[in-house]
Amino acid sequence: MWQQDIRRSEYIFIMARTAGILLLMAYVFYDSPAAVLLLIPVGIFYMRDLISDFSEKKEEEFRGQFRDSIQAVASALKAGYSVENAIREAKKDMESVYGRDTRIRKEYDRMVHQLDMNMTAGAVLDQLAQRTGQEDVESFVNVFTAAKKSGGDSIAVIRNSVRLISEKIDTEKEIRTMLASQKLEFDIMCAVPFVIILYMKMTFGDFLSVLYETMAGAGVMTVCLLIYLAAYRFGRKIIRIEV
């Protein structure tokens, strides 16, 4: 769902990085650019991983933007605005903080337009939850709907929900920050085999030539490549911890 937020320049970067990795693998493991053709399936999986990483990053960015927006809504509610006008005020706040191309700006532009078309605030927020499929948005909409149905001090209930959701997002952000060091270590570990082989090719090229000039050598390097890819997949599963 969040792939639609990946910009064209980022897709170009993903393709360029994938091509670079394939060329590096072809040189390190087979010493032949033609080996890139054999590594195309690897490139497809690697590109999918990069797109997945970018999508997660876009979702995380939106969650931070959404936190700021509902805090703006809560402030407007505290000032005495209705829910509909609080959404309009939050839109103005988002315009002063985020760029035009950000997801939160686009969503609030759409919500205010729907309000101008006489849609209820509940329906507008419900469609926001459907479009994003994001847990925090759904939680906020569910609380809003329940507060409206139950009556009473619905504004206080919504403001309390905003506080809890904001604290949850901030806590998860701190956890991801702590996990970032592990991801960096994983990236370094992935690069180490390439660095070692490249160093040996430059300093002991004759010693490694048997691995690139014979079928047996090619078989050995293929086995090494498969082991490396298996370790890479296993490593990604370890660092992809759901927060």
Side-chain angles (χ1 to χ4, degrees), residues 158-238:
I158 293 173
R159 287 171 53 198
N160 185 59
S161 172
V162 169
R163 179 180 61 81
L164 294 175
I165 292 174
S166 298
E167 291 177 353
K168 173 177 176 287
I169 293 175
D170 289 337
T171 300
E172 291 177 354
K173 183 178 180 180
E174 292 177 1
I175 295 174
R176 287 192 174 90
T177 300
M178 291 186 291
L179 292 175
S181 60
Q182 295 185 3
K183 293 181 179 179
L184 177 60
E185 292 175 1
F186 174 72
D187 291 338
I188 294 174
M189 292 175 62
C190 288
V192 166
F194 291 96
V195 173
I196 293 175
I197 297 177
L198 286 172
Y199 173 77
M200 294 185 66
K201 282 173 69 68
M202 289 186 293
T203 56
F204 304 101
D206 294 338
F207 178 75
L208 293 180
S209 61
V210 66
L211 294 174
Y212 301 109
E213 297 175 357
T214 64
M215 291 297 295
V220 170
M221 294 303 285
T222 299
V223 171
C224 292
L225 175 60
L226 293 175
I227 293 174
Y228 174 84
L229 294 176
Y232 171 80
R233 297 304 302 175
F234 181 70
R236 277 189 63 87
K237 289 183 179 180
I238 292 176

Side-chain angles (χ1 to χ4, degrees), residues 3-224:
Q3 291 183 17
Q4 60 184 325
D5 292 339
I6 301 177
R7 296 189 294 269
R8 180 178 299 179
S9 60
E10 292 171 328
Y11 271 115
I12 293 174
F13 170 78
I14 289 172
M15 291 186 288
R17 180 170 173 175
T18 301
I21 290 295
L22 291 185
L23 287 171
L24 180 62
M25 283 186 172
Y27 175 70
V28 168
F29 288 96
Y30 299 104
D31 197 27
S32 172
V36 169
L37 297 176
L38 299 176
L39 296 173
I40 288 178
V42 176
I44 293 174
F45 282 104
Y46 183 72
M47 184 178 293
R48 288 174 57 185
D49 285 343
L50 286 180
I51 292 175
S52 176
D53 290 342
F54 270 82
S55 297
E56 290 182 2
K57 181 181 178 181
K58 295 299 180 182
E59 182 178 10
E60 186 177 349
E61 289 176 353
F62 175 78
R63 294 177 77 241
Q65 297 166 3
F66 178 71
R67 175 203 58 204
D68 294 340
S69 73
I70 59 176
Q71 288 176 347
V73 170
S75 297
L77 292 173
K78 185 178 180 180
Y81 288 92
S82 66
V83 175
E84 290 79 5
N85 287 331
I87 292 175
R88 290 186 172 92
E89 289 300 310
K91 174 181 179 293
K92 296 177 183 178
D93 289 344
M94 295 303 99
E95 288 174 349
S96 64
V97 177
Y98 295 106
R100 183 180 298 274
D101 293 333
T102 53
R103 178 71 178 268
I104 198 68
R105 283 279 304 273
K106 295 177 180 178
E107 292 294 351
Y108 268 82
D109 287 344
R110 184 167 184 172
M111 287 193 293
V112 169
H113 175 71
Q114 290 173 329
L115 290 174
D116 292 339
M117 298 296 291
N118 295 324
M119 287 183 62
T120 64
V124 169
L125 291 172
D126 186 59
Q127 288 194 13
L128 172 66
Q130 293 178 14
R131 286 194 302 271
T132 62
Q134 219 287 318
E135 180 182 356
D136 297 315
V137 181
E138 293 174 353
S139 298
F140 177 74
V141 173
N142 290 337
V143 169
F144 174 84
T145 303
K148 284 295 185 181
K149 288 182 179 179
S150 62
D153 192 358
S154 60
I155 301 300
V157 174
I158 293 173
R159 287 171 53 198
N160 185 59
S161 172
V162 169
R163 179 180 61 81
L164 294 175
I165 292 174
S166 298
E167 291 177 353
K168 173 177 176 287
I169 293 175
D170 289 337
T171 300
E172 291 177 354
K173 183 178 180 180
E174 292 177 1
I175 295 174
R176 287 192 174 90
T177 300
M178 291 186 291
L179 292 175
S181 60
Q182 295 185 3
K183 293 181 179 179
L184 177 60
E185 292 175 1
F186 174 72
D187 291 338
I188 294 174
M189 292 175 62
C190 288
V192 166
F194 291 96
V195 173
I196 293 175
I197 297 177
L198 286 172
Y199 173 77
M200 294 185 66
K201 282 173 69 68
M202 289 186 293
T203 56
F204 304 101
D206 294 338
F207 178 75
L208 293 180
S209 61
V210 66
L211 294 174
Y212 301 109
E213 297 175 357
T214 64
M215 291 297 295
V220 170
M221 294 303 285
T222 299
V223 171
C224 292

